Each structure stands twice: as C-alpha cells, then as structure tokens.
Amino acid sequence: MRRYISLVIMFTLLVGSLGISLVSATSAFPYQAKVSSSALNVRSEPSLQSSVVGKLNKGDVVTVTDEDSDGWVQIKHNKLTGYAAGYLLSKLNNAGEESSPAASEPPTSGTVSTSPGSTATVLADSLRIRSGPGVSYKVVGSLSQGEQITITGSQSDWIKIRTSGRTTGWVSKAYVGKGAVPPKHSGRGLRGKVIVVDAGHGGNDPGMIGTTYETKEKDLTLSTATYLKQELQSLGATVIMTRTTDKKPELSERVRISEKADADAFVSIHYNSSEKQTSGILTFFYSEKKDRPLAQAIEDELTEVGGLRSHGLSFGDLYVLRENDTVATLVELGFLSNRKDESIVRGSAYQKKAAAAIARGLANYFG
C-alpha cells in the first residue's frame, strides 16, 4: 500500500513539474460537432493517404475526442471511429446549436515537415501544381489558399504532394505552411445567388460538328444554356448569360462578364468529340479547392442522364476556368463523334434533363 501511495505522489509531482493540469487537458473533450460538408470521409489515421473506414453525410452529429495541430480530429459516430478534417465539422454548443468550426486555425508560415505522410496548407492565393520540381515543368493542377495537401517527398525547395482529389505533383515549399482554413458555406441554396451560364462557341465558331447528323455544338450549347437559365431562375437564382444569340464572345470577355458581375458561380456548357467511339459526360475543374467542390456537386447529379453516363471529374487547364476568379466548372454533355450520343443530345428532352441536373448540383453546392 505504501509503495502504491508513493507512486501516486511521484506521478502527481511529475505532472506538476511539467506544468500539466489533468483537468484542463481533458476538459475540452469530448464535444459534439455536426458535419457541415455534403459528405465526409472518415479515415483510419490522420492523413489523406490513410484508408477510408466510413463516410458521413451533412448534418450527422459526431463526438470529437481529440484534435491535432494539422487540423485532423478523432471522432466517433455510433460504431464508427476514425479521423476527419476538422474544418468540415461545426462545433455544437450545449444547446445543440452550431457555434464554430471544430478546427479553424488560420494557416501559419514556418518550417514544414517533408516527411512522407505529413500534411501542409497552401498559403498563397493560388499555387500551381507541376509535373516536376521546377517552374519549367508542365502545370498539372492548381491549389487555392487554405487547401490541405499531403507531402510524399521533397527535392531542394520543392515538395512532392498529393491533394484530396488524388492529384499528384510538385509545388514550391515557400508557399505552404501549417494549419487549416474552414470552407465558407452560406446555407441559403440558390436564392439570391448570381450564376453565369456560358454557352460555348458561337458565331463563326461552330465547335464540334456531329459525325452522324452534323449537329453543331454551338446550337446545342445555347439551347442547353437557355434551359439551365430557366431551371436556375425557378430556384431563385439571378442568371447572366455570356451569349443569348449566335455570336461568339472572346474567352476573355466570358471571364470578364463573370468577374464584373461578382458572380457566385460560372458554368460553361459544351459538347465533346473524340477520334475513338467514346460516350458520356465529363466535368472539368481547374483549382482543387476553388472549383473542384462545385464540379463534384454537379457531377454527382450527372452520374447518368438520359442514357448517358458520367466519366467523373477531370483537371482542365482551360482559359475560362484558369483565368476566372469566380468558382467555375465546364461540363461536356456528350460526344458528337458518337452516333448514340449525338442522337440523344440533339433532343430537347435530354437537354432539359441535363440542365435540371446541373441546377440541382448548383443548389446542393450552395445548400
């Protein structure tokens, strides 16, 4: 018994000498938080490279049991236990109301660990991902301020990274740091939002021409864009079209219209072509953080429309996306080089379904 008491006294003295308070160290946890994103991956370890052990939906309430300096939190939900990005959770107060993000410390500069598996946050407004460690290498993607990345290697002043969207490449070490930034969500849906709808091509630029029925892409984009305008207006959005007639605005003019309007989102409508008999839908984004969430929300609704299936998301180094400060995406709604696709997309029924799906995606993104 004396030995036990002595050990307790020694432990108490040790804790005191380290300046640790057992009460203060544990009083912040556990606490309740609500999922604020449309979907939340729960991982086995606090790293983007770790396996996904479960998924939660927007509105699910979890118990946060721990938190680290990189913005990861340990959570429990029913029988599910794992790690998640803290900025995708909103902390609940004692009344069960949202108070603040679970982990919302702004990024701070400093030495970033280059150990494989460590995480970092983009500090620059925009940061290009390159195929190799230098400015002479090809740009393969783009990151925005606050976006988290996983480091997989390093060379001189460059670090090899992997994004949450599985894009890999190299970025300059000088523009990344520690911390995490919470995303912005208005929670008001499309009511009051300004959406720019861009009908691709026009005028003396017909775009792709169907190989079976000689359907002109510029005609399809304009009619589909008009249907999309009607859908968005019915949901309370203000819609600005980059063109309403058979004319061709320059790419710079399309971007200028978007930025001048201080738009909340920019959606460019196109139809595709390939030398192969490729079929289906493809959605493009440029910036991983700025654009990809919108592209994903729209693609989720375009999984299968009118008999055409989606091929998912793809990085696109496209002018109207790359040069646009507005959240932007470009959708290719079928291949005019494919007989089946062309026969489907030239009909108004398909275009209306596609427009409705895009509108739902936008509503989900802003919801």
Side-chain angles (χ1 to χ4, degrees), residues 78-104:
N78 297 329
K79 295 182 179 180
L80 177 64
T81 301
Y83 294 84
Y87 62 83
L88 298 179
L89 297 169
S90 294
K91 189 174 181 179
L92 301 179
N93 57 27
N94 293 334
E97 300 171 334
E98 295 183 18
S99 54
S100 62
S104 57

Side-chain angles (χ1 to χ4, degrees), residues 179-335:
V181 172
K184 298 178 181 178
H185 296 285
S186 68
R188 296 180 299 176
L190 283 173
R191 189 159 302 280
K193 298 298 182 184
V194 177
I195 311 297
V196 172
V197 178
D198 175 44
H201 307 285
N204 60 2
D205 175 15
M208 305 301 175
I209 297 178
T211 54
T212 303
Y213 303 101
E214 297 186 349
T215 310
K216 295 179 180 179
E217 182 184 2
K218 68 172 184 177
D219 297 333
L220 294 182
T221 61
L222 183 57
S223 58
T224 306
T226 302
Y227 291 133
L228 177 56
K229 176 184 178 181
Q230 295 169 357
E231 290 285 343
L232 293 172
Q233 287 178 331
S234 71
L235 295 173
T238 297
V239 181
I240 298 174
M241 303 275 284
T242 58
R243 71 180 181 97
T244 57
T245 60
D246 185 21
K247 67 174 184 179
K248 180 191 177 182
E250 295 298 321
L251 296 179
S252 58
E253 174 64 11
R254 298 172 197 256
V255 172
R256 190 193 69 80
I257 290 172
S258 178
E259 295 181 347
K260 183 178 180 181
D262 193 22
D264 295 290
F266 175 98
V267 180
S268 188
I269 306 297
H270 284 259
Y271 287 83
N272 220 332
S273 180
S274 173
E275 294 181 358
K276 300 179 181 179
Q277 282 300 300
T278 310
S279 170
I281 300 166
L282 193 59
T283 305
F284 288 92
F285 66 93
Y286 180 75
S287 167
E288 282 277 346
K289 182 179 181 183
K290 180 176 74 73
D291 303 329
R292 188 184 180 107
L294 173 62
Q296 184 65 70
I298 290 176
E299 195 276 334
D300 286 344
E301 296 295 330
L302 287 171
T303 302
E304 186 166 350
V305 177
L308 297 187
R309 299 183 63 182
S310 172
H311 292 292
L313 303 184
S314 180
F315 168 74
D317 190 6
L318 307 169
Y319 187 97
V320 294
L321 304 184
R322 183 183 67 247
E323 304 300 325
N324 208 330
D325 290 336
T326 305
V327 175
T329 187
L330 184 148
V331 291
E332 298 273 7
L333 292 171
F335 284 79

Side-chain angles (χ1 to χ4, degrees), residues 21-91:
S21 168
L22 291 178
V23 174
S24 63
T26 59
S27 60
F29 302 101
Y31 62 81
Q32 303 295 107
K34 182 183 291 185
V35 178
S36 58
S37 62
S38 59
L40 178 68
N41 286 331
V42 181
R43 298 181 181 275
S44 59
E45 299 292 337
S47 168
L48 292 175
Q49 291 183 317
S50 62
S51 60
V52 175
V53 296
K55 292 189 177 183
L56 298 175
N57 299 315
K58 185 174 183 178
D60 285 343
V61 176
V62 303
T63 300
V64 178
T65 58
D66 202 2
E67 179 180 320
D68 69 16
S69 60
D70 284 329
W72 290 93
V73 292
Q74 188 173 25
I75 64 170
K76 289 184 178 180
H77 179 74
N78 297 329
K79 295 182 179 180
L80 177 64
T81 301
Y83 294 84
Y87 62 83
L88 298 179
L89 297 169
S90 294
K91 189 174 181 179

Side-chain angles (χ1 to χ4, degrees), residues 130-185:
R130 297 185 180 273
S131 59
V135 294
S136 61
Y137 288 90
K138 178 183 177 182
V139 175
V140 296
S142 176
L143 296 162
S144 298
Q145 187 182 64
E147 185 165 0
Q148 280 199 313
I149 54 177
T150 297
I151 297 171
T152 59
S154 65
Q155 181 175 320
S156 187
D157 293 329
W158 291 77
I159 54 175
K160 191 174 184 180
I161 60 100
R162 185 174 187 173
T163 71
S164 58
R166 303 291 182 179
T167 298
T168 60
W170 296 78
V171 299
S172 173
K173 184 180 178 182
Y175 300 105
V176 299
K178 300 177 181 179
V181 172
K184 298 178 181 178
H185 296 285

